[in-house]
Amino acid sequence: MDKLVIRGGKPLTGRVPISGAKNAALPQMCAALLTNEPVHLVNVPRLHDVRTMRRLLDHMGVVTQTHGQRGGMSFVAPDGLRPEAPYELVKTMRASVLALGPLVARFGHARVSLPGGCAIGARPVDQHTKGLAAMGARIDVEHGYIVARLPEGQRRLRGARITTDMITVTGTENLMMAACLAEGQTVLENAAQEPEVTDLAEMLNAMGARIEGHGTSSIRIEGVQRLHGCTHHVVADRIEAGTFACAVAATGGDVLLHDARIEHMEALVDKLRSAGVTVLAESGGLRVQSPGGAHLAAQSFRTMEYPGFPTDMQAQFMALNLVAQGSATVTETIFENRYMHVNELMRLGAQIMVDGRVATLAGGARLTGATVMATDLRASASLVIAGLVAEGETVVDRIYHLDRGYDAMETKLRALGADIERVQ
């Protein structure tokens, strides 16, 4: 099992390319199931989750190809494919459930295993199934699988007004994809507003869908008879960009985050600027300049759905707060089990107290290297940031979590001047 060995104390300088967003690429790969024409994606990140999704599509009978130097992938989903997502491929990645909506919409039936993924709290898929049921699908859970079918004699899903009980990104994406081939109009209320949802809607429109209101809490989809192929550029990963921004802020330095889009990161950028970090939008991306954590002020924040402070940046900003000055509180409102990195950060010298969903931490910590264990994707990133500023050597174990969401993180950090290497 691979590990990262980090020797801290090096400022970061230079330019780092921000990869395509995992949370945009995965639903877009599933969107290829909506047509039998070729779908081409550019800027697909090289991640474990992307490889898992590709294996899932291959299993169904989709013809997939990798091409070009800029993360190019092509997909052709023939009419006779197998509309099933087996447990062996779904258990490690929750995004596999995104195949459900497209399969039911195009083929009239689907069998998808209940998903797995990071153990950061309950993320039920009932909002997906309730929405599909409102569109006329019959939903059953059989032997650990979600089985969705159109009733006998019904050839297409039917448009409906769907208000989800909670804001769900994958739920919004699943129902939006399904509605593209439904009969009549579907309105999704309480919809997720994340840039990745907007990017998926723009791709679907390029395939011939009729979607309006994406980027707001009310999305309207007018169903069409069929969709065609397209070429689409996957949007830059705002979470990867934010992670590198926190790393630069903590260690000090001057880095251009190439292709990062400030309009997708406003809540995080506001907190970085309040802490004392210089963040500038440039034509090539986002420039981050910092004197180092010891010269910054710790910031309290509360995670919220987009456009609020992202839960996927909570752990990374907590690592930055540890070396900034003053105390801060962090309130996690999205997931009930997302402080698993706290105990590992404390092994490095952090002072953090957790009471339910609120973590109180003392800044100005003197972090020292130790062996720590990654517990989930974003926790892994926080431990890397802490290791970059800790005295001595830090070993981050179980980094397979990191590989699920970051494209060659250690290679990119090393190019910026970090002393970091991957070892087996």
Side-chain angles (χ1 to χ4, degrees), residues 25-86:
L26 295 177
Q28 288 164 10
M29 293 171 73
C30 289
L33 294 167
L34 290 165
T35 179
N36 61 5
E37 296 185 13
V39 171
H40 306 286
L41 296 179
V42 182
N43 201 34
V44 180
R46 296 168 297 177
L47 303 173
H48 180 75
D49 277 8
V50 169
R51 292 191 292 272
T52 300
M53 183 65 81
R54 182 178 182 180
R55 288 198 301 272
L56 175 60
L57 294 176
D58 287 340
H59 169 83
M60 293 181 187
V62 178
V63 179
T64 65
Q65 290 183 315
T66 303
H67 55 84
Q69 299 299 312
R70 294 206 59 195
M73 294 187 74
S74 297
F75 309 87
V76 178
D79 292 332
L81 62 74
R82 182 190 305 114
E84 178 184 82

Side-chain angles (χ1 to χ4, degrees), residues 96-105 110-112 128-129 132 146-148 174:
S96 306
V97 76
L98 286 164
L100 182 64
L103 289 174
V104 178
R111 185 171 182 265
V112 177
H128 305 235
T129 56
L132 290 172
I146 302 169
V147 180
N174 227 341

Side-chain angles (χ1 to χ4, degrees), residues 12-287:
L12 304 180
T13 57
R15 172 187 176 278
V16 61
I18 301 302
S19 302
K22 173 185 82 123
N23 291 339
L26 295 177
Q28 288 164 10
M29 293 171 73
C30 289
L33 294 167
L34 290 165
T35 179
N36 61 5
E37 296 185 13
V39 171
H40 306 286
L41 296 179
V42 182
N43 201 34
V44 180
R46 296 168 297 177
L47 303 173
H48 180 75
D49 277 8
V50 169
R51 292 191 292 272
T52 300
M53 183 65 81
R54 182 178 182 180
R55 288 198 301 272
L56 175 60
L57 294 176
D58 287 340
H59 169 83
M60 293 181 187
V62 178
V63 179
T64 65
Q65 290 183 315
T66 303
H67 55 84
Q69 299 299 312
R70 294 206 59 195
M73 294 187 74
S74 297
F75 309 87
V76 178
D79 292 332
L81 62 74
R82 182 190 305 114
E84 178 184 82
Y87 173 73
E88 291 73 21
L89 292 172
V90 171
K91 63 183 178 181
T92 61
M93 185 181 67
R94 295 191 59 83
S96 306
V97 76
L98 286 164
L100 182 64
L103 289 174
V104 178
R106 181 173 163 204
F107 298 99
H109 62 283
R111 185 171 182 265
V112 177
S113 173
L114 289 167
C118 284
I120 58 174
R123 292 187 284 183
V125 297
D126 64 320
Q127 302 304 304
H128 305 235
T129 56
K130 286 179 181 178
L132 290 172
M135 297 168 71
R138 174 184 168 186
I139 307 293
D140 297 292
V141 176
E142 302 173 355
H143 309 293
Y145 281 77
I146 302 169
V147 180
R149 309 177 183 89
L150 291 182
E152 188 173 350
Q154 183 176 325
R155 300 185 62 183
R156 297 169 64 189
L157 291 170
R158 294 169 179 162
R161 179 175 291 274
I162 302 168
T163 303
T164 54
D165 298 333
M166 55 187 288
I167 297 175
T168 161
V169 174
T170 53
T172 298
E173 292 167 339
N174 227 341
L175 298 175
M176 183 168 66
M177 287 189 285
C180 289
L181 294 179
E183 184 179 358
Q185 185 182 81
T186 299
V187 179
L188 303 180
E189 301 286 6
N190 202 28
Q193 303 176 48
E194 274 74 0
E196 295 80 15
V197 175
T198 298
D199 200 45
L200 173 62
E202 291 174 355
M203 173 189 172
L204 292 168
N205 282 342
M207 295 172 67
R210 298 171 62 187
I211 304 173
E212 297 178 344
H214 41 290
T216 76
S217 62
S218 182
I219 302 176
R220 297 171 302 284
I221 308 104
E222 194 70 40
V224 297
Q225 287 280 353
R226 64 183 299 274
L227 296 178
H228 53 73
C230 75
T231 297
H232 181 77
H233 189 282
V234 180
V235 70
D237 193 331
R238 61 193 171 95
I239 304 301
E240 184 189 36
T243 299
F244 276 97
C246 285
V248 177
T251 61
D254 183 341
V255 172
L256 175 66
L257 310 177
H258 185 68
D259 281 344
R261 295 172 61 172
I262 193 170
E263 67 270 22
H264 293 167
M265 303 168 58
E266 290 180 351
L268 173 64
V269 168
D270 285 347
K271 287 296 180 183
L272 288 170
R273 287 171 171 166
S274 296
V277 181
T278 299
V279 184
L280 303 170
E282 297 186 1
S283 58
L286 205 60
R287 183 168 297 279

